[in-house]
Amino acid sequence: MDNPVKATPLEMAAIDVDGLTVAELGLVNKINLRGDFDSQACNAALTELLGMDCRLEANTYVSNSASTLFWLGPNERMLYTDGDPQSVAERWRAAPGTAAVDVSDYSTVLRLSGAKTRDVIASGSPFDVHPQHFGVGQCTQTRFGNASVLLSNHADTPVFQMQVRWSFARYAFDYIKRVADYV
Amino acid sequence: MFIINCPYCGDRDQTEFSCHGEAHIPRPTETKKMTDEEWGEYVFFRTNPKGYHRERWLHDHGCRRWFNALRHTVTDEFVASYKIEDPRPPIPDNGGQS
Amino acid sequence: MTQTHRLLEGGLVDRSKPLTFTFDGMTYTGYQGDTLASALLANGVRLLGRSFKYHRPRGLIAAGSEEPNALMQLETGPYTEPNTRATCVELYDGLVAKSQNRWPSLGFDVGAANSLVARFLPAGFYYKTFMWPASMWMTYEKYIRKAAGLGVSPTENDPDVYHGTYAHCDVLVIGAGPAGLAAATAAASGGARVMVLDENNTPGGALLGTSNNAASLEFIKRSEQALEQHENVQLLTRTTATGYYDYNYITALEKVTDHMGPGNGGKSPRQRFWKIRAKQVVVAAGSIERPLVFADNDRPGVMLANAVGTYINRYGVLPGNDVVVFTNNDSAYQVALDAAENGGVVTVVDTRPSVSSSLKTQLEQKNIKLFQGHAITSVQGAKGVESVRVMKLSADGDSVQGQAWEIDCSVVASSGGWTPSCHMVSQSGGKLKYIESIAAFVPDESRLKKTSPNISAGSCNGSFDTATCIQQGARAGLDAATRCGFDGAAASGDSFQVNEIPLGTISPLWLVPTTHPVGEGRSKHFHDFQNDVTAADIQLAAREGFVSVEHLKRYTTTGMATDQGKTSNLNALAIMANIQGVSIPEVGTTTFRPPYTPLTLGAVGGQESRELFIQERQTPMHEWHVDNGAEFEDVGDWKRSWYYPQAGEDMHSAVQRETLAVRESVGMLDASTLGKIDIQGKDAVKLIEMVYTNNWQKLAIGSCRYGLMLNEHGMIFDDGVTTRLAENHYHMTTTTGGAARVMGWLEEWLQTEWPEWEVYCTSVTEQWAVMAINGPKARELLQDITDIDVSKDAFPFMTMREGKVAGVPARVYRISFTGELAYEVNVPARYGKHLIEALAAAGKKYDLCPYGTEAMHVLRAEKGFIIVGQDTDGTVTPQDMDMDWIVSKTKEEYLGNRSQARIDTQRAARPQLIGLLTEDPTVVLPEGAHIVSEVSDAPPMPTIGHVTSSYMSPNVGRSIALALLQDGINRKGDVVTLRLMNGEVHKATVSDTVFVDAEGVRVRG
Ligand SMILES: [Zn+2]
């Protein structure tokens, strides 16, 4: 019991077919941050916490070497951090009118790349991922099949990330795998 | 299948949303002083207009925000969607023909 | 067999690639590029089916998707598909087709006797004959269906795979004929995202059936190349727009590998279902020729004129050597010329008293005889046209007179004008307008639905010459792109010209008279071939008062079934208008419904079939359950371990063993599926006080409390345990199935009613993997693997402790759903598998037994713990559940509070939860069984309650049940009667709901 086995929902399963590569990102520390992000105080606290300008337009994300901050809603952000989630959460909670929850294991993150990426996502999502509509730096919560997902665009090549709840991860992965043959 | 404008996220497919009926029905205060009829009016009775209708929608596969929308129940035209705290946009005066 | 009707040259078929196929067991040869229809025609096969009602012999009428007759049973075994139109099936090697609607064979058809007694089968005969008694319809229907032969469904699983996808574009162009290609080219020129759909295997539309193939093909190629230059353009062939819904949402079916034959598509899906969202739509769907409605116009060999032209020009097939062209407009003259050019002996019968001299000259040059102001009054030949009789029309067109001419022929090419394909615009909510000059409806651009903007162009907009189609298309494409914010190149369109004879002046003759009044005698004037509806049926409908267009459709069935009235609709309306003496627009049109052409269910489902049909949710310990032989139960979308059968065990014995083990030693259950919500903020307790019925102000940090949630009707809708983690921080649990509902409920109130409260709710359901350890040895087991002091005093019932379990960080809640000493161990999901393995290893010496949801149900029922949704059904209050103890009498307000005092919730004799002990302890009552106040032999019997939960309890040593019984709480000790569906009657004693450890000693042990 000294070395407890850590698992991810897909146990790092991968897809590597013509035009599509899918990898599970493993254990990503994730914190759900809440607060009045329109307020000066809130933004200042967040800037100090993450060391970057954290003012976000709706459905965009921002990142530096240690953190990625996604817009989820007017008073909600998702933070991926290299830091210890408990202590980052506690520091955030110190700011007034805020909340933070460690949700590292609530979901997993799939990285999709390759020429078929957009067609694979379009097979399950009514959200338009055409580069003119969803560029690098944008993120969105939407539907993939019957799973709620957080999609983000990380490179034009293209590289997308899809965050999906633990219990839906197998479903989403199988979905991607099946349509990879069809597009 | 509608396109619905989330006041936070913009135009999205209807399947990202769910509709929760008539908007602008505040919960009464001092409920214990209400008669059964008054309470029943709040709990059970809703308008069902042929025409413009203010409804509550939830962007549940999106930003998880509740908002209000003004929709025409015959043409399904969404005239406006607005945040809970926003003032009600006016009802168009064309009788809903589109 | 030789291809007797194949021309030596011409057409777009590849004569170097012969393909073999069978039809009704006979083997034939066709070419690459043929449809099943053109290949059959090339082989001289004219009789392709029998009609729906009268079983009359039928052949091809059309060359496209409007074909009403030639419905085929395609392929065999799991690949078989009924009701495919031969005109839409691309020929491939080895194709197997059978005719439908014939029994026992096509040539000899028992059902054909129907036509001898035709007067007994008028319109509405289904309704009239089988109206009474209603119960007999089921009996009649079987025989009607067999005789009618609508094809057979496959009985094996579909081996094909299907793909569905969403797509988005600025401009969607429906149809890749001249107008569509021009529209797409213009729209793309400014950079708009363009999608073009066409049901054919190649773009070109009507041009593919015209005589100057080479020039047409060049134009098509030119247009394709122009489109290829733009990376934002997608041209989809073999793709039919099937439905047009609100906000420009268009569905389309792409036949990806159908043309390769079954099993030959490799990994590709057989079909793809497109769900397209377009900012603007250009409808360039073309038009459909109308048949003339004359006596016995359904004989095999009577075809649409343009179909004859298409078979000649596109497929190199002359449907017959002796052709009579019967028309009321100019366009069919081109077909006459084409047939003569290819060796046909052609006669033209024109209903109009005079035609232009230039047409006459062209006919004379080809030795084509012309009858002006004449009409076909009869068609001879039972299984195929042998000759027609032609007589002079009266000036008003209502009768014929004079000498009858008999003309030998094998083909009648008839044209009653052209009907623009307004299906898509009508489906979009747009309205149509009637244009006298073309005797047809076109979209009314001033009455489109605002939410579905579109522009019609080309012949679907009533413009029938190619040059105008191209100009209109280019204009429409540019306008559509402009509306999307793109600048386009000037839209002049291609200057391509085609040899064609435009429609000219149409002289509508909606019902062609014969020597006796329509409806008398043996001959029939069909306007709807697929549904076997005649002009006489419309007359009957009118006589009986079914004059509204919607009534007419339903009474006569005209316009129904797979062709949706493509060839019949306008003729039916016009005949009704004539009968009533009103104009066609006054009769009105029916609204077109999707799908435009039939869809397979497989395509609609797409990839979301089989294991992707429902999203299956799994816990972090799922694999362990599988490895340990669990059977699974669906709870919501979750797969939960139901029970773990050991060798030789059935479900009953496994559940009994698991249930006993929990009360005798210790058991473990995967409880990860319970909903979990993290609640933070200074107003958190205000929210919790509002959504639960009991008091929460004084809950100590680290303590847990059970709560019941009511809706505003005062009815129970969820329950669970909530724990105070810190000053303003709570952890709420919900039922498995209610997790999303409760989360939505909290957010709804917070966002819409109490936005000023500082409370944040976050779902953490999957953050935590949860194992519930239950049983007298639970403490010993847990102590072995945790650094938390789990002694009775240090860790009392209904508290929470944090520490390490199995070496990983954990929150342990001392709560119980079994009435036993119990702990729920929560660890981050990544450690879920580790936790269950550690527990299994440490539990060996305590006889730890994994148990599933079925044993959990028995255990909780032994304690009288309710399951929301099983013992409640949305109509029960806390008082009905005998849970008044959890309803605060001191709180100022909570949701559902006022409803507790409603007259209805206060009334006497409400159903209330009680226990039931059957007279015979071995009888396990079925859940749902009714408690009745009187027993009689058959229902109805007065019901006073029903069983909600029922099990064999090994711990009680007999069956137990929970039930809702009117005034039940006051009836404990009474004996009640239950009458089961199978007629059995059982007596049971009303008891308390707690069957084990009523004092609650064990749980606090
Ligand atoms: Zn939103």
Side-chain angles (χ1 to χ4, degrees), chain B residues 6 8-9 59 62-63:
Chain B
C6 169
Y8 302 96
C9 303
H59 192 191
C63 64

PDB file of all heavy atoms in Angstrom, chain B residues 6 8-9 59 62-63, ligand 1:
ATOM      1  N   CYS B   6     -27.621  31.883 -26.504  1.00  0.00           N
ATOM      2  CA  CYS B   6     -27.323  31.961 -25.073  1.00  0.00           C
ATOM      3  C   CYS B   6     -26.746  33.345 -24.821  1.00  0.00           C
ATOM      4  O   CYS B   6     -25.826  33.761 -25.536  1.00  0.00           O
ATOM      5  CB  CYS B   6     -26.320  30.881 -24.680  1.00  0.00           C
ATOM      6  SG  CYS B   6     -25.659  31.114 -23.015  1.00  0.00           S
ATOM      7  N   TYR B   8     -24.724  34.300 -22.888  1.00  0.00           N
ATOM      8  CA  TYR B   8     -23.311  34.229 -22.520  1.00  0.00           C
ATOM      9  C   TYR B   8     -22.447  33.638 -23.625  1.00  0.00           C
ATOM     10  O   TYR B   8     -21.319  34.052 -23.841  1.00  0.00           O
ATOM     11  CB  TYR B   8     -23.133  33.396 -21.238  1.00  0.00           C
ATOM     12  CG  TYR B   8     -23.918  33.946 -20.079  1.00  0.00           C
ATOM     13  CD1 TYR B   8     -25.172  33.439 -19.761  1.00  0.00           C
ATOM     14  CD2 TYR B   8     -23.413  35.000 -19.308  1.00  0.00           C
ATOM     15  CE1 TYR B   8     -25.905  33.963 -18.707  1.00  0.00           C
ATOM     16  CE2 TYR B   8     -24.135  35.531 -18.254  1.00  0.00           C
ATOM     17  CZ  TYR B   8     -25.386  35.014 -17.960  1.00  0.00           C
ATOM     18  OH  TYR B   8     -26.113  35.519 -16.922  1.00  0.00           O
ATOM     19  N   CYS B   9     -22.979  32.618 -24.326  1.00  0.00           N
ATOM     20  CA  CYS B   9     -22.159  31.859 -25.287  1.00  0.00           C
ATOM     21  C   CYS B   9     -22.479  32.164 -26.742  1.00  0.00           C
ATOM     22  O   CYS B   9     -21.745  31.745 -27.629  1.00  0.00           O
ATOM     23  CB  CYS B   9     -22.340  30.358 -25.072  1.00  0.00           C
ATOM     24  SG  CYS B   9     -21.936  29.828 -23.402  1.00  0.00           S
ATOM     25  N   HIS B  59     -28.817  26.542 -20.433  1.00  0.00           N
ATOM     26  CA  HIS B  59     -27.782  26.078 -21.363  1.00  0.00           C
ATOM     27  C   HIS B  59     -27.050  24.915 -20.688  1.00  0.00           C
ATOM     28  O   HIS B  59     -25.917  25.058 -20.229  1.00  0.00           O
ATOM     29  CB  HIS B  59     -26.832  27.239 -21.703  1.00  0.00           C
ATOM     30  CG  HIS B  59     -25.929  26.935 -22.855  1.00  0.00           C
ATOM     31  ND1 HIS B  59     -24.860  27.716 -23.200  1.00  0.00           N
ATOM     32  CD2 HIS B  59     -25.954  25.922 -23.757  1.00  0.00           C
ATOM     33  CE1 HIS B  59     -24.252  27.191 -24.258  1.00  0.00           C
ATOM     34  NE2 HIS B  59     -24.896  26.096 -24.604  1.00  0.00           N
ATOM     35  N   GLY B  62     -23.786  23.559 -21.887  1.00  0.00           N
ATOM     36  CA  GLY B  62     -22.873  24.669 -22.127  1.00  0.00           C
ATOM     37  C   GLY B  62     -22.445  25.304 -20.825  1.00  0.00           C
ATOM     38  O   GLY B  62     -21.875  24.633 -19.961  1.00  0.00           O
ATOM     39  N   CYS B  63     -22.792  26.584 -20.652  1.00  0.00           N
ATOM     40  CA  CYS B  63     -22.278  27.336 -19.508  1.00  0.00           C
ATOM     41  C   CYS B  63     -23.101  27.127 -18.238  1.00  0.00           C
ATOM     42  O   CYS B  63     -22.810  27.726 -17.222  1.00  0.00           O
ATOM     43  CB  CYS B  63     -22.219  28.818 -19.862  1.00  0.00           C
ATOM     44  SG  CYS B  63     -23.849  29.525 -20.186  1.00  0.00           S
TER      45      CYS B  63
HETATM   46 ZN    ZN D   1     -24.129  29.425 -22.467  1.00  0.00          ZN
END
